[in-house]
């Protein structure tokens, strides 16, 4: 574990300040959700879809959602078995508003590990400010405005995983990151990317071989775990549960005008809206955050969004960037507190 120069001792306030940030954030986002609900604002049909899913789970039934089609099992649309956790909340409060409040709380809880580790690494004042900036950042606000999506469960899991990464607690990082594969099928690639970062960072360590070994093993596990579940979800589970016998999103890669892989890759470079999204992410990471290898965790999500032919994927609004926000905050902290590479001191000076 490494701590930055702004590190401080752990005191009573360090226990409750991050929770104050989370509670205030949850209250603000819940008020927004309730206001949307009362004004009958419906950005998309997703809230209706997930409400039917929660209702089915609460009755111990399969998640059949008739909005998607007669007898349509929603586990054949996206692989999100973790949404079964909605069942007890919906059972107590059977309403679509319940899902909006649950999402507000989940996003707010993700501020706890980010704020706590930031206070440890860069000091109480700056750490709290970073936690507040994260909690009220554009990525999470966009998710709240877009109403409920399964990604709400992924944000706190990734936040806790990255906080453990910054503390050098490799198996805790693994334990928090591994369940991401049960939130949405593409997150298997994000988990694999985190595993590769752990592997790369572990192999570069010049001292503390025991800790380095744990880091390498944790990284190898996450890389394999993420890829296995990604392959299983895309090519086995989703086609088996989908009424059409396939994964419904193959046709959202590229467009009819694009022929071949090269055309698809070149299409990912336009329009300019994609660059705005990328620049906003760099800004969220404080610019210096791009020095951290953690920004590689952005790549899987940005890749499917930018090669996709759905315009909503490209921009900075909606819920698509919420999963990238914990990465931006952690990358910033990693970049400003990581000690210099010890191998640099052993390199011969240039003649």
């Amino acid at each position: 574990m490494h701590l930055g120069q702004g590190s401080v001792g752990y005191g009573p306030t360090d226990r409750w300040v991050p929770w104050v940030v989370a509670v205030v954030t949850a209250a603000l986002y819940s008020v927004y959700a309730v206001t949307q609900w009362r004004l009958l604002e419906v950005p998309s049909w997703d809230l209706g879809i997930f409400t039917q899913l929660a209702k089915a789970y609460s009755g111990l039934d399969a998640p059949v959602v008739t909005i998607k089609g007669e007898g349509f099992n929603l586990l054949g649309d996206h692989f999100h078995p973790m949404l079964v956790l909605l069942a007890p909340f919906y059972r107590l409060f059977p309403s679509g508003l319940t899902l909006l409040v649950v999402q507000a709380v989940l996003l707010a809880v993700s501020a706890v590990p980010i704020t706590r580790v930031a206070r440890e690494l860069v000091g109480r004042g700056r750490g709290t400010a970073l936690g507040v900036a994260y909690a009220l950042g554009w990525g999470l606000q966009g998710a709240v405005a877009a109403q409920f999506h399964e990604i709400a469960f992924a944000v706190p899991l990734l936040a806790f995983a990255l906080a453990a990464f910054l503390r050098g607690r490799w198996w805790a990082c693994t334990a928090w990151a591994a369940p991401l594969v049960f939130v949405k099928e593409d997150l298997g690639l994000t988990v694999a990317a985190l595993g590769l970062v752990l592997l790369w960072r572990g192999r570069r360590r010049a001292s503390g071989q025991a800790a380095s070994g744990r880091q390498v093993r944790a990284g190898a596990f996450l890389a394999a775990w993420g890829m296995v579940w990604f392959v299983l979800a895309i090519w086995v589970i989703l086609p088996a549960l989908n009424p059409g016998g396939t994964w419904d999103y193959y046709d959202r890669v590229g467009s009819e005008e694009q022929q071949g892989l090269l055309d698809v890759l070149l299409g990912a470079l336009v329009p300019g809206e994609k660059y705005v999204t990328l620049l906003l992410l760099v800004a969220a990471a404080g610019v210096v955050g791009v020095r951290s290898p953690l920004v590689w965790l952005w790549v899987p999500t940005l890749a499917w969004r930018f090669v996709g032919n759905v315009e909503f994927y490209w921009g900075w609004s909606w819920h698509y960037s919420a999963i990238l926000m914990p990465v931006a905050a952690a990358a910033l902290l990693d970049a400003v507190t990581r000690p210099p590479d010890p191998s640099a001191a052993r390199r011969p000076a240039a003649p």
Side-chain angles (χ1 to χ4, degrees):
M1 181 177 71
H2 65 267
L3 295 176
Q5 294 180 347
S7 310
V8 294
Y10 193 83
T13 58
D14 295 285
R15 295 185 179 90
W16 59 261
V17 167
W19 284 104
V20 169
V21 174
V23 168
V24 172
T25 302
L28 290 173
Y29 287 161
S30 295
V31 167
Y32 185 91
V34 171
T35 302
Q36 269 191 322
W37 181 262
R38 291 182 174 177
L39 292 176
L40 302 179
E41 291 187 4
V42 185
S44 72
W45 61 348
D46 290 304
L47 181 59
I49 290 172
F50 289 114
T51 299
Q52 283 195 343
L53 170 141
K55 182 179 180 180
Y57 277 144
S58 71
L60 302 181
D61 296 322
V64 173
V65 174
T66 56
I67 295 176
K68 293 284 290 184
E70 188 64 30
F72 193 102
N73 187 326
L74 204 62
L75 285 174
D77 182 52
H78 286 301
F79 184 61
H80 41 48
M82 189 169 287
L83 293 190
V84 72
L85 296 177
L86 292 171
F89 301 101
Y90 191 89
R91 183 84 177 193
L92 290 171
F93 307 101
S95 168
L97 179 59
T98 300
L99 275 63
L100 298 181
V101 174
V102 167
Q103 175 173 262
V105 172
L106 286 171
L107 296 179
V109 166
S110 73
V112 173
I114 297 296
T115 305
R116 183 173 290 158
V117 75
R119 285 166 60 85
E120 292 174 10
L121 293 175
V122 297
R124 291 187 174 101
R126 286 178 293 180
T128 302
L130 189 148
V132 171
Y134 162 80
L136 301 179
W138 57 271
L140 300 192
Q141 287 191 31
V144 173
Q147 300 188 338
F148 186 85
H149 284 85
E150 66 270 275
I151 209 69
F153 282 91
V155 175
L157 284 172
L158 189 55
F160 277 103
L162 292 173
F165 175 95
L166 293 170
R167 294 187 179 100
R169 298 174 181 171
W170 312 124
W171 289 115
C173 174
T174 301
W176 284 110
L180 284 166
V181 299
F182 303 123
V183 178
K184 194 164 174 277
E185 62 275 7
D186 65 284
L187 291 177
L189 294 177
T190 301
V191 171
L194 177 57
L196 292 176
V197 170
L198 281 166
L199 271 171
W200 180 81
R201 182 70 66 82
R203 292 185 180 279
R204 285 176 60 90
R205 294 183 60 162
S207 60
Q209 294 303 312
S212 178
R214 287 194 296 271
Q215 187 173 3
V216 169
R217 289 192 294 273
F221 171 80
L222 279 181
W225 174 264
M227 285 304 303
V228 165
W229 275 104
F230 173 74
V231 171
L232 281 175
I234 296 294
W235 280 283
V236 180
I237 299 173
L238 288 169
L241 296 175
N242 188 287
T246 185
W247 184 48
D248 281 340
Y249 296 89
Y250 285 121
D251 60 354
R252 297 195 181 185
V253 175
S255 63
E256 295 180 357
E257 293 78 16
Q258 294 171 342
Q259 301 294 326
L261 179 61
L262 182 59
D263 281 350
V264 171
L265 294 177
L266 291 175
L269 302 178
V270 292
E273 185 179 7
K274 298 174 182 178
Y275 296 99
V276 175
T277 300
L278 192 58
L279 287 173
L280 285 171
L281 284 172
V282 171
V287 181
V288 70
V290 298
R291 293 177 48 227
S292 170
L294 288 175
V295 297
W296 285 101
L297 273 68
W298 286 344
V299 172
T301 298
L302 291 178
W304 69 256
R305 288 173 59 185
F306 286 1
V307 301
N309 55 29
V310 179
E311 294 183 11
F312 293 116
Y313 293 167
W314 307 336
W316 56 272
S317 58
W318 292 84
H319 62 285
Y320 299 109
S321 294
I323 193 67
L324 307 178
M325 295 297 101
V327 179
L332 171 59
L333 289 169
D334 183 52
V336 300
T337 62
R338 189 191 339 155
D341 183 356
S343 63
R346 299 194 299 273
R347 295 175 189 148

